[in-house]
């Protein structure tokens, strides 16, 4: 979160950021409550001091038995206590408003973040690899999944409703293989692999900046006061909440977990296939580092590079996009999306996201470290999707499909697929006839 002092000093910048990010936040409302809170605090403190002084004067009079002399003072103390009760209630109300509004204040964006209304205004940074050209009729991932008996969406819908699916046989093994590849890739680069809680308390979501603005995207467990996370970022950052950590070297974590998302607002969008589903799995990178902008910028490039490295191992064409203000979340300072070529869409589709949050998340989560002078400082936090499945299966199946219906397995995945170099449809009727 932003400090109230920063907002006081940079009110116009914060308001413009809220407008650009489409966040319903009014700086003037916060500052009005802030002024009222400070006035009430001064009045309350002055009245408490007056009451305490009178109470102190009463004590020796009562000890001397001068009750008559003490009574006027006691009456004043009583009146002050009554006024204090009203003032303290008003102060508590002002405190509540300030606290609630502070949770809505957006993180400022980097100087090189594009200004735009939505993802159509994101800016391409680089493009890597060539989109394949097919000399046969293209099949989408749903058709390929049915041919290979590894994706069953109708039964997923029958069992769990829209945007659900079953992965079977090779589909499940591919789902696990891409996750294990990503996990091993990150472990070799100094990340600590972790299995994390996916049911968390609401405080964890508030502290990591997913609440209150993202509450409509999150599944609640009724009667449990717990929520299902949409990313292990929540659990990885919360691992260090209220702690003082050592970031002499950045702390690098890799969480592997199931994830859940309601997809509110996406009705009618991406209804076919595995692009937008309620349940998926991710390997997530989270890094905590010093609150030096140069350090966190270097980490952002590093973790984005890890995601690119995994896509190169999967032999998939992709592009890196600088995300504009209108496509950013409240908590993000700078963001890249990586979009992978999806032949059936005839377009790139988002498969990875990489963000620098500065100290916005660490302030909410109270994660600090000691600098060279021993002073406590808030960390910078960053996150990136190393791989998310089953969405990554869309480009994996579609880009590597062959004319005969078989699917080429990239060399880097083969150790996780029992050495399999190519998946062949099990049903003869699906094979191409000469």
């Amino acid at each position: 979160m932003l400090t109230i002092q920063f907002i006081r000093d940079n009110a116009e910048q914060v308001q413009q950021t809220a407008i650009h990010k489409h966040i319903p936040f009014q700086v003037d409302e916060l500052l009005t409550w802030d002024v009222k809170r400070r006035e009430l605090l001064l009045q309350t403190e002055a009245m408490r001091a007056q009451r305490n002084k009178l109470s102190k004067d009463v004590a020796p009079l009562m000890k001397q038995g001068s009750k008559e002399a003490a009574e006027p003072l006691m009456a004043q103390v009583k009146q002050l206590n009554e006024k204090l009760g009203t003032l303290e209630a008003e102060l508590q109300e002002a405190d509540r408003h300030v606290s609630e509004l502070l949770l809505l204040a957006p993180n400022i964006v980097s100087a090189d973040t594009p200004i735009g209304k939505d993802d159509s205004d994101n800016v391409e940074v680089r493009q890597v690899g060539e989109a394949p050209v097919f000399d046969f009729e293209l099949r989408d991932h749903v058709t390929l999944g049915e041919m290979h008996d590894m994706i069953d969406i109708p039964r997923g819908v029958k069992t769990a409703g829209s945007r659900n699916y079953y992965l079977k046989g090779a589909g499940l093994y591919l789902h696990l293989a891409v996750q294990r590849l990503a996990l091993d890739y990150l472990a070799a680069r100094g990340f600590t692999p972790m299995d994390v809680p996916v049911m968390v308390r609401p405080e964890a979501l508030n502290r990591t900046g997913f609440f209150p603005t993202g509450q409509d995207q999150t599944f609640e467990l009724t009667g449990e006061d717990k929520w299902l996370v949409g990313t292990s970022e929540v659990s990885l950052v919360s691992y260090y909440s209220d702690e003082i950590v050592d970031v002499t070297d950045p702390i690098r974590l890799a969480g592997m977990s199931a994830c859940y998302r309601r997809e509110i607002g996406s009705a009618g969008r991406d209804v076919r296939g595995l692009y937008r589903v309620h349940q998926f799995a991710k390997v997530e990178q989270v890094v905590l580092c010093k609150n030096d902008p140069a350090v966190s910028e270097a980490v952002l490039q590093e973790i984005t590079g890890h995601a690119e490295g995994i896509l190169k191992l999967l032999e998939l064409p992709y592009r890196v996009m600088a995300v504009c203000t209108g496509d950013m979340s409240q908590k993000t300072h700078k963001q890249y999306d990586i979009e992978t070529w999806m032949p059936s869409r005839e377009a790139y589709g988002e498969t990875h996201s990489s963000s620098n949050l500065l100290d916005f998340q660490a302030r909410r989560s109270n994660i600090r470290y000691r600098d060279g002078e021993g002073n406590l400082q808030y960390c910078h936090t960053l996150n990136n999707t190393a791989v998310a499945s089953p969405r990554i299966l869309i480009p994996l199946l579609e880009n590597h499909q062959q004319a005969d219906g078989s699917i080429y397995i990239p060399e880097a995945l083969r150790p996780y697929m029992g050495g399999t170099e190519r998946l062949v449809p099990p049903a003869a009727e699906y094979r191409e006839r000469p």
Side-chain angles (χ1 to χ4, degrees):
M1 69 195 313
L2 301 180
T3 65
I4 188 64
Q5 188 60 55
F6 180 89
I7 297 173
R8 290 173 193 152
D9 296 340
N10 302 274
E12 185 176 348
Q13 181 185 10
V14 174
Q15 185 62 70
Q16 282 302 310
T17 303
I19 292 169
H20 289 317
K21 287 189 174 184
H22 311 305
I23 295 171
F25 170 74
Q26 295 298 323
V27 171
D28 287 347
E29 183 183 5
L30 170 60
L31 295 181
T32 298
W33 279 107
D34 176 49
V35 169
K36 184 173 183 179
R37 179 188 64 165
R38 285 186 287 166
E39 290 173 349
L40 287 167
L41 183 60
L42 287 174
Q43 292 174 35
T44 301
E45 288 176 344
M47 199 169 290
R48 284 172 182 161
Q50 186 181 1
R51 179 198 60 186
N52 293 342
K53 182 181 181 305
L54 288 170
S55 297
K56 189 175 180 180
D57 292 341
V58 167
L61 292 174
M62 295 296 290
K63 189 174 182 180
Q64 296 166 12
S66 304
K67 187 175 181 182
E68 287 185 11
E71 282 180 350
L73 299 180
M74 292 171 65
Q76 289 182 57
V77 169
K78 182 178 179 182
Q79 286 181 334
L80 286 172
N81 278 332
E82 290 172 353
K83 291 179 180 178
L84 266 174
T86 301
L87 272 180
E88 286 170 345
E90 292 177 4
L91 177 60
Q92 187 176 28
E93 177 74 359
D95 271 333
R96 182 180 66 80
H97 280 286
V98 169
S99 296
E100 289 177 354
L101 290 167
L102 272 174
L103 289 177
L104 291 174
N107 200 0
I108 57 169
V109 299
S110 66
D112 56 350
T113 291
I115 304 299
K117 63 181 184 305
D118 55 35
D119 58 2
S120 65
D121 290 324
N122 293 344
V123 177
E124 184 176 298
V125 177
R126 58 183 168 273
Q127 194 174 121
V128 179
E130 296 290 332
V133 176
F134 299 97
D135 57 2
F136 56 88
E137 186 176 350
L138 181 73
R139 303 175 180 88
D140 70 7
H141 67 284
V142 176
T143 301
L144 289 166
E146 292 171 348
M147 286 176 63
H148 287 261
D149 194 27
M150 59 183 174
I151 300 172
D152 193 330
I153 293 174
R155 287 191 175 98
V157 173
K158 177 182 72 173
T159 302
S162 63
R163 303 191 187 279
N164 286 285
Y165 58 92
Y166 283 92
L167 296 179
K168 304 166 59 181
L172 173 60
Y173 288 123
L174 277 173
H175 175 72
L176 296 174
V178 293
Q179 294 176 72
R180 186 57 193 272
L181 171 67
L183 204 61
D184 289 351
Y185 184 96
L186 295 176
R189 287 155 180 80
F191 284 72
T192 301
M194 298 179 71
D195 182 35
V196 303
V198 296
M199 293 186 298
V200 300
R201 294 171 174 158
E203 308 92 83
L205 290 151
N206 271 303
R207 287 180 159 207
T208 49
F210 288 87
F211 282 6
T213 55
Q215 191 164 331
D216 63 344
Q217 293 294 330
T218 312
F219 283 108
E220 181 181 9
L221 299 179
T222 306
E224 294 291 331
D225 195 31
K226 290 186 182 171
W227 300 71
L228 295 173
V229 298
T231 169
S232 61
E233 174 193 342
V234 176
S235 304
L236 292 171
V237 173
S238 297
Y239 186 76
Y240 288 109
S241 63
D242 293 320
E243 293 189 21
I244 298 171
V245 297
D246 182 358
V247 289
T248 305
D249 291 318
I251 297 172
R252 295 175 170 87
L253 308 175
M256 182 173 173
S257 74
C259 303
Y260 304 88
R261 188 169 297 160
R262 293 183 68 189
E263 294 294 354
I264 295 295
S266 62
R269 294 174 56 202
D270 306 304
V271 293
R272 177 172 169 80
L274 301 175
Y275 191 85
R276 200 176 296 277
V277 293
H278 289 310
Q279 176 181 323
F280 51 101
K282 279 206 296 180
V283 175
E284 184 80 6
Q285 304 176 69
V286 163
V287 180
L288 288 73
C289 67
K290 296 176 181 177
N291 65 0
D292 181 337
V295 173
S296 58
E297 171 64 20
V299 172
L300 179 64
Q301 301 304 324
E302 172 197 324
I303 60 179
T304 304
H306 292 333
E308 292 187 70
I310 292 166
L311 282 172
K312 288 172 183 175
L313 289 176
L314 295 175
E315 302 175 33
L316 295 172
Y318 66 89
R319 65 179 184 177
V320 178
M321 306 293 289
V323 175
C324 76
T325 52
D327 195 31
M328 293 174 77
S329 70
Q330 177 206 14
K331 59 191 174 71
T332 307
H333 171 67
K334 182 176 178 178
Q335 181 177 341
Y336 295 114
D337 279 354
I338 301 179
E339 300 176 346
T340 308
W341 180 253
M342 299 183 180
S344 66
R345 298 166 69 94
E346 297 184 348
Y348 291 93
E350 180 196 337
T351 51
H352 301 71
S353 187
S354 190
S355 301
N356 183 355
L357 281 62
L358 300 183
D359 62 359
F360 188 88
Q361 208 169 45
R363 283 185 179 277
R364 287 191 180 212
S365 297
N366 193 31
I367 305 173
R368 298 170 295 169
Y369 70 96
R370 293 195 182 276
D371 63 19
E373 287 72 47
N375 299 315
L376 286 172
Q377 306 284 352
Y378 288 101
C379 299
H380 281 188
T381 64
L382 303 97
N383 63 81
N384 169 266
T385 315
V387 74
S389 183
R391 185 177 288 191
I392 196 65
L393 300 186
I394 300 173
L396 189 63
L397 298 178
E398 293 183 358
N399 283 285
H400 294 319
Q401 63 180 295
Q402 308 297 306
D404 63 357
S406 64
I407 298 168
Y408 164 80
I409 301 297
E411 188 174 346
L413 272 186
R414 292 172 191 171
Y416 306 99
M417 293 291 292
T420 302
E421 298 181 9
R422 191 180 299 265
L423 296 178
V424 178
E429 62 266 24
Y430 286 124
R431 300 185 186 181
E432 296 292 336
R433 306 246 181 223

